[in-house]
Amino acid sequence: MWIVAKYKINEINILKKNFREILGNEPEYYFPKVQYNKIINRKFKIMKKSALDDYFICYHPLFKNANILNILKFTKGLKYILNGFRNNQFEISKFIIRCKSFEDKNG
């Protein structure tokens, strides 16, 4: 099951570590990014920015369990989990497939 969650930018590594400890194995994370060129000091620089700002999409089969989600709500580094993700699994999957269709070899 996919969830959409908001995280604290400086604590993403702590959040991933805590998810791994609680869930038992590594969940699948999806952080879509946008790459663009910016002129800095008369030179082109390749810049990358998160398409979802400080949100990420995460998949793990244990997310179906309400008790696991209640434990994850209080994980360090997590601001909150968006409500309604259970009803919108098809739309989340469709969004991920659409984003992946626009990725280059570097993601």
Side-chain angles (χ1 to χ4, degrees):
M1 179 172 282
W2 292 100
I3 64 167
V4 180
K6 188 169 187 171
Y7 64 95
K8 296 177 185 172
I9 295 174
N10 298 338
E11 299 179 0
I12 187 65
N13 293 330
I14 296 169
L15 178 65
K16 286 182 178 181
K17 180 184 166 201
N18 290 336
F19 269 35
R20 190 177 333 111
E21 289 173 359
I22 293 169
L23 298 172
N25 55 2
E26 189 74 29
E28 179 184 343
Y29 299 103
Y30 187 63
F31 294 91
K33 295 190 185 253
V34 176
Q35 180 176 323
Y36 60 95
N37 294 326
K38 187 174 182 180
I39 299 173
I40 299 175
N41 295 331
R42 298 183 194 163
K43 295 180 183 177
F44 280 108
K45 298 283 184 178
I46 297 174
M47 307 295 284
K48 292 183 183 178
K49 183 180 179 184
S50 176
L52 301 176
D53 289 330
D54 53 353
Y55 289 91
F56 70 96
I57 302 171
C58 184
Y59 176 82
H60 199 278
L62 289 178
F63 290 151
K64 293 178 183 176
N65 187 345
N67 293 332
I68 296 290
L69 288 174
N70 286 334
I71 293 169
L72 290 176
K73 281 183 186 178
F74 302 104
T75 305
K76 185 174 182 176
L78 184 70
K79 290 183 179 177
Y80 57 86
I81 298 173
L82 290 178
N83 293 328
F85 65 89
R86 283 190 175 89
N87 301 332
N88 297 315
Q89 289 297 303
F90 178 72
E91 285 83 8
I92 294 170
S93 298
K94 201 165 116 179
F95 173 76
I96 292 169
I97 291 169
R98 182 159 170 83
C99 287
K100 286 186 177 184
S101 70
F102 290 105
E103 288 181 357
D104 61 359
K105 63 182 180 204
N106 297 327

